Each structure stands twice: as structure tokens, then as C-alpha cells.
Amino acid sequence: MPSQWERFKQSNIAKIVIGYSLVVWVLIQLIEAVLPTFETPLWVAQTLTFLLILGFPIALLVGWAYEKLPTQSTSTDGAPSVPEPAHSTPKKTLVLVGIGSCAVIGLFGFYMMPFIFDQNAFDSASVQIRSENAVGVGNITPETRALRSSINVGQTFTRNSGARGELTLSPDGNTLVFSRITRPISSILVKDLDTFEPPRELVTFTATQLGGFPKFSRNGDWIYYYDRGSLNRIRIEGGASQTLVSDTIVAGFAEVDNDNLIVPGVGNDGLIGLLTISTGETSELDIEAGDQSYIWPSLIPGTRYLLATNKAATGVADSGTDLIDLDSGKVQTIIPIGYNARYVNSGHIVFIRGDALWALPFSPSEGKVVGQAVPAVIDVESAVDGLGGHDGVAGYSFSNYGRLVYFPGNLSDKEQVGRLPVWVDNRGVETPIGVPRGDYGEASISPTGDQVAMTVFSQGGASDIWVYDFAAGTLGRRTFEGSASKPIWSPDSSTIFFLNDTGNSVWTVAANGTSQPSSLLTSQVTPYPETLSPDSSSLVYSGGTNPATRDLWLVDLADLEAERIQEQLQVSPQDARSSAISHDGNWIAYASNETGDYEVYVRPFPNINAGKWQVSREGGGQPIWSKTENRIFYWAADNRKYASTYTTGPENSDGKPSAFRIESTEQLFTGPYRRSRFPAWDYSEPEKKFLLIKDTGTDIIDLLTEINIVENWDEELRRLAPVSLNPM
């Protein structure tokens, strides 16, 4: 009779133990070696191995259930022995034993899994494969990706460029400062990121394209900002503001020390210079810049190296970044394409290219680039076509300790096709006028009420005048040079007057498109055509050497000698714009910020010195006269529209009324309508409706501004853009 050991060696169980163990060991080696080459996650390898381990008790159970061993025959005829079942265990018992065995082996395999594979080695192999296949972009594993979050700061509204505002982060990363535009007011607000308290208002000023752009001082004590082109500063705790320099370029500054700033637009023939705060004096920088125009300067901390955007003639999108040695004056271009650059303590220069924030390894001690630039954050809000000289603004800031904040967005190549001209009645009920969505600017209804002239923008910022016929439903183009905007109609609806952006001039074109555009007048300032007298003898335009401060100018169009005499209308010591002559020719309405806020005023016309009356009381602009009623409409802050009813006094000897008085004012409606361009709206007497440009798809959620926050960003940069072994 065979021994028990001999019986075991001949059994299925012995064969299964040896064969299955060998196969499983080989498969595990293959899994560990092959799967990383396909960038397979570690959990896939662990799952396959767990299933292999779990299969071991199942295989043993099946082999045991069907085990048959030869037994000693009791036959007397010498017949060979016949294999018989090794046991007679019931099936129910086999099932229970199998389940228990699988549970025990499975639990054992689960706890042993971390020891079967080297997780770090497995991940490193996968990362290495991805790195070898990547082209110029670093790779971040989930373990090294910085923590991201966002906060909502409410409605900040937008500039003409589309940007939601500007922000700056304190050096310690605990305080966020950002701008808010609620026309006619701009505000600088402070948010403590360590608390749930709402932002507090630091300072307010008149909303213009040359205001805002806050920036922390290096010590975190001051907030610098612009107000109508003047660079100011205020303590972070609040108090009185201090004006440092007036009428400069709104394009940032670099803080050399507590008393000296490098500012574009001062010194060096107005290109870039040094401002001493204590004395208010400006001086030239002794650098090899030639006539290069620099914007958005930034000093690398602890060095005398200055980063500055060398603005290209074709626009900021094509501009690069220069490294300027303030001691030697030497200038070298280190970033051929990229603007608004700043230095991060991680050892990188970060800059905007396209719609991404890029990182370039840089050694301050050696003053040279030591690696390849890679995109660090995708979809950062930046404006390559800003108005008022502040193009190139970028919505990002960071602290000295690795926290990054930025506005998410895509402006440089944004297709602005989400605007739609709509009719709006006094209750705010909208009706599309019948044109497709597009990038529409100003809108002006013809005096006959059957057509509307609009500025239509195309790719690259070009603009032309188009006319839509309400009855025919046709949209026809009237200019083709890509430099026309701000259309207004002649009183007889036969001619359209418009601004030609290329030559400080006002042009005209036949409204029906039967003639080529022709030049009407040129000016020393950019002339924005605004209104015509009912007899077509006078044109009023606004313009000034500073875009933020305009004056009203009267042009005599009845001059037979075509001298086009231009007379300045002295209606305000401050900014005056958005003028409108009444349809009886007796009055001129306009907006001015002489009280600090923009309000609507009315004066007699053409004798403007015969009286002056204020129409709005809580801010207002862009007045429109009703043709059939004694009503004047205006646009106030927060998109509120108002209608004021007025009466006039007895006639003077010249037949014109001697007085103007507001009887009552009512609020009409509000909504997400584009106000940044004039004329931004118009009124149709036949329809008894207003025509406005609506930002379609905009609801209350779209109007709320999100700010993204990235923690430990400096560590992420070191992994994204490592120092090269062969520095440039």
C-alpha cells in the first residue's frame, strides 16, 4: 500500500500547488515589468494580482473535489485496480469550505498587496515613459500637484477689453486686493483670506479706463493704484490717498526701494524713468534702450535686474520681455514672445503668452536663463488690446511663500460673438431685432426709425459700420477699411458720420451705400462724433489729449469755405462727454464728473452760458432726448435706466425757452447690456422701445467673478520647469 506521501505526490492538489504557484510568480513579474510601459495605473496591476491570488484556493478546491486515487483491488481474477474517489464529502460542505478559503486567502492577499509591488518604482517608471514622450512640457503626478481652490468675490464687472478687473496678493499671501467697477464708481477692495469676512472697501474714485490696477508694495504696507492716469498710493489700513505722479502710462511700475519707483511714461523722453516719491522728481534711466517703449516693469528681488515688456509695434501679443541691468545699462531679450513677466522665488520668471502663464527657469545670481519655458497655468485672463494705454494687463499675482491667485479666462483669442441687439420696452421686456449674434459695438437708430447703424468688430479688433434695415431684414456693410466706429446719423437719415481711428478724423458715408466714405474734418485730438443739430449746421464731438478727460467741441458744418472751425465748448472744468442736442435744437445734454461722480446736465444751445441744470441725482450718463415728449432718458450705475420728465420756461427774445426744470424721474429697467461704448443705446419713437446691445448667455452666475487660488505653487513650478543641465 502506497504511503501517504506517495499518495499526496500523485494527487491533483500537489500538481496544482506547484504549477499554479509557478505560473502566478511568472505573471506577477510580467505585470510589474510590462504594464508601466503602457502608463497603466498601479491599481490595475494590483487588481490582476489579487485575482490571481484569489484563484489559488478555487483551483485547490476544484482539484480536491474531483480527486481520484488508485485503491487496492480485492478481485481474485487478477484485474487491475480501478481509481476511486479519494473522499465522499458532500457538495454543500465543499461550497462552504471554498467560500471560507477564498475569504481567508483574499484577506491575506489584500494586506500583502502593498508588499508585492514597489509603488514608487512603479509610478516612476510610468512618469519616465510620459516624460520621454512629452515635447517641451513637464509632467506632474497626482502626488506633486498643488492644491487648488477658488473664491467668489461677487460682481466686479468688466472693462472694454473684457477683463473682469485686476488683483494683487500681499507678500505673505494672506490678503487679496482687487478692483471693482460699478459705473460711475470704481473701488479697491480688501479681502482677508484667513477669515470668512466679506471684502472691505479701501478707496473709491471715478470709473475710467485709466483707473484701478492695484498693486502691493514689497513690504505689504501700501496699495498703489491708478486714478485717471495718476499713480496713487494708500495705506492698507485706509486713510488719505497720496498722488505720486500724474498723467502717466497705465502700465505698472517697479519698486526699487521705499522711495524710488521705475514707472513707464516718466523720464527718458516719456518712455520709462525713475520716480522719487519724497521729492516727486523724475529722471531718466541710463540704459541701452534706444527708443524702445517699455511697459509692465518688474524688479527681480535682491538684484539690479529689471524685467520689462518691450512693446512691439504690432501689439502686446507679439511683444517680448527684456532683462535690463540697471547698473551697466545692458539690455538683452530673454523672452522673444511673452509679456507682463515677474520673478518667482522658486527660481522662475513667469510671463503671459497666449492665454497661459508660462514659467522659465532663471538664475538671478548669474543673470541668465537656466532651462526651458513651459506652460504652468492654462487659461489665465489677460488683455492684449486694452484701452487707454493699459494693454497687456494680466490677472495674476503671487506671494513670497508659494500662493498664486488669478482670474480664469480667455481674452487674447476670445471670439466675442455673444452679443445681440435687442428691443427693450419700459418694463424691460426684450425682443431681438433680427440680426445674428456677433461682436456689436455702438448702435444708432436713424431719425426716420427704419434703420440702425452699428459698429461691428471682426477678428483682430478691426471695426466697420454696418446698417440694418428693419423692414427688409438686411444687414449691409458701409465701410471696409477696418477703422470705423461710433456712427451717428444726419437729421435727414441720408448720411452717417463716424470716427476714422487711423487719422484723428471724422468721416461720412451715404447711408444707402451709394458712395465711398470721405473725410469731413481732422482734429489734434481723437474726435468722437456725438450729436448733430437738427438743421445739420453743427456737429459736436468729444475729445482730449488724455482719453480719460475729454472736452466738447463744436464744428460749424455750414461754413461754405469748408474750414470746419472747431470751437471748444466750456461746459465743465472736468471730463465732459456723451452729448446730445435736443430735437428742437434748444438744448444740449451731456455727462460730466465735475462733482466727482458722472451726472447728466442740460444747457441751452447754442448759447451754453445762458443756464445750466442737473438732471440726474445718483449718477448718470449717455442721455437721449425723446422726439415727441418732454422726456430725457439716461443710464445710471448698475445698468439702471431712468426717464425724467421736464418743463421749460418762458421764451427769450430770440424765441428760445429761458429755463429748464425736471418735474419727475422714474426708473425704467435694468439688465446685462453693454455700456462701454457710446452710443451704447438709442430710443425709437415709433416702437416706443430702446435698442441695446445685450451680452447673450449672461445670467447672474456669469456676472459673479471667481478667483482661483493655487497653494504651494512654487513647488509645482520646480517640477514643471526644472533647471536644465545645459543652461542657455
Side-chain angles (χ1 to χ4, degrees), residues 535-539 555-564:
D535 60 1
S536 298
S537 64
S538 300
L539 166 71
V555 182
D556 184 2
L557 299 180
D559 183 5
L560 297 179
E561 300 298 327
E563 293 181 0
R564 311 297 187 210

Side-chain angles (χ1 to χ4, degrees), residues 210 400 411 434 436 464 481 484 509 644:
L210 299 179
N400 293 336
L411 298 178
D464 280 294
E481 299 300 322
V509 66
S644 292

Side-chain angles (χ1 to χ4, degrees), residues 94-368:
L94 290 174
V95 171
L96 293 176
V97 171
I99 294 175
S101 300
C102 289
V104 172
I105 297 297
L107 187 62
F108 173 77
F110 178 79
Y111 281 106
M112 289 299 297
M113 197 59 61
F115 302 97
I116 296 177
F117 292 110
D118 183 352
Q119 181 170 350
N120 292 331
F122 193 92
D123 288 345
S124 298
S126 179
V127 171
Q128 181 179 2
I129 295 299
R130 293 199 302 271
S131 300
E132 291 173 354
N133 294 333
V135 180
V137 179
N139 295 279
I140 301 179
T141 65
E143 291 78 17
T144 62
R145 185 171 176 81
L147 177 65
R148 283 157 165 78
S149 61
S150 65
I151 60 172
N152 193 299
V153 294
Q155 297 184 14
T156 60
F157 292 87
T158 64
R159 298 187 180 276
N160 289 0
S161 61
R164 290 188 178 273
E166 306 85 29
L167 51 74
T168 182
L169 189 63
S170 62
D172 61 10
N174 297 330
T175 306
L176 174 69
V177 173
F178 60 96
S179 62
R180 174 177 291 168
I181 304 173
T182 53
R183 297 183 187 277
I185 298 299
S186 282
S187 306
I188 302 294
L189 295 103
V190 179
K191 175 72 174 75
D192 188 342
L193 296 179
D194 289 337
T195 71
F196 294 104
E197 295 297 322
R200 63 179 173 87
E201 193 173 80
L202 181 64
V203 63
T204 62
F205 45 91
T206 301
T208 70
Q209 289 300 313
L210 299 179
F213 310 94
K215 182 179 178 180
F216 264 101
S217 62
R218 290 192 301 178
N219 59 17
D221 293 340
W222 296 88
I223 294 295
Y224 294 85
Y225 69 96
Y226 286 90
D227 180 8
R228 286 169 285 189
S230 297
L231 179 59
N232 299 349
R233 70 175 181 176
I234 186 173
R235 300 283 300 186
I236 186 63
E237 301 86 3
S241 294
Q242 176 186 2
T243 298
L244 305 181
V245 62
S246 300
D247 299 325
T248 186
I249 300 174
V250 181
F253 65 91
E255 192 176 17
V256 179
D257 52 45
N258 294 337
D259 194 39
N260 292 280
L261 307 177
I262 296 175
V263 184
V266 299
N268 200 22
D269 296 327
L271 298 179
I272 189 169
L274 186 68
L275 166 67
T276 302
I277 297 176
S278 59
T279 63
E281 297 179 352
T282 60
S283 58
E284 297 182 1
L285 288 178
D286 186 15
I287 58 178
E288 301 171 358
D291 58 354
Q292 177 63 56
S293 177
Y294 284 111
I295 56 177
W296 305 111
S298 177
L299 195 68
I300 297 179
T303 75
R304 294 281 290 172
Y305 289 120
L306 180 73
L307 299 169
T309 301
N310 52 15
K311 186 176 180 181
T314 54
V316 171
D318 300 325
S319 300
T321 296
D322 285 355
L323 180 69
I324 303 172
D325 189 329
L326 296 178
D327 291 328
S328 66
K330 183 180 179 181
V331 176
Q332 59 174 317
T333 299
I334 60 172
I335 303 172
I337 300 295
Y339 60 92
N340 209 319
R342 309 167 201 175
Y343 181 79
V344 187
N345 288 341
S346 60
H348 297 83
I349 293 173
V350 293
F351 60 93
I352 295 292
R353 179 186 293 168
D355 296 302
L357 184 61
W358 289 62
L360 175 68
F362 182 82
S363 172
S365 60
E366 300 175 85
K368 63 180 181 180

Side-chain angles (χ1 to χ4, degrees), residues 315-505:
V316 171
D318 300 325
S319 300
T321 296
D322 285 355
L323 180 69
I324 303 172
D325 189 329
L326 296 178
D327 291 328
S328 66
K330 183 180 179 181
V331 176
Q332 59 174 317
T333 299
I334 60 172
I335 303 172
I337 300 295
Y339 60 92
N340 209 319
R342 309 167 201 175
Y343 181 79
V344 187
N345 288 341
S346 60
H348 297 83
I349 293 173
V350 293
F351 60 93
I352 295 292
R353 179 186 293 168
D355 296 302
L357 184 61
W358 289 62
L360 175 68
F362 182 82
S363 172
S365 60
E366 300 175 85
K368 63 180 181 180
V369 174
V370 290
Q372 298 293 326
V374 300
V377 181
I378 307 299
D379 200 32
V380 176
E381 184 175 274
S382 58
V384 296
D385 295 312
L387 299 180
H390 55 75
D391 44 350
V393 61
Y396 79 94
S397 183
F398 50 84
S399 73
N400 293 336
Y401 303 100
R403 174 177 280 176
L404 167 73
V405 294
Y406 68 94
F407 288 121
N410 183 327
L411 298 178
S412 65
D413 106 304
K414 179 180 180 181
E415 294 184 5
Q416 298 181 351
V417 294
R419 298 194 176 102
L420 189 67
V422 293
W423 290 117
V424 184
D425 65 17
N426 287 345
R427 298 170 299 168
V429 178
E430 298 176 0
T431 306
I433 70 171
V435 299
R437 286 181 174 85
D439 192 1
Y440 299 99
E442 303 88 4
S444 177
I445 301 174
S446 64
T448 53
D450 57 349
Q451 299 179 93
V452 57
M454 295 180 289
T455 302
V456 179
F457 294 89
S458 57
Q459 191 106 18
S463 60
D464 280 294
I465 306 301
W466 293 63
V467 174
Y468 179 70
D469 188 302
F470 294 117
T474 57
L475 182 62
R477 191 173 182 175
R478 297 296 180 263
T479 66
F480 299 86
E481 299 300 322
S483 58
S485 62
K486 303 191 180 300
I488 63 172
W489 293 83
S490 63
D492 61 2
S493 297
S494 65
T495 306
I496 297 174
F497 295 71
F498 64 90
L499 169 67
N500 187 323
D501 295 329
T502 60
N504 280 357
S505 57

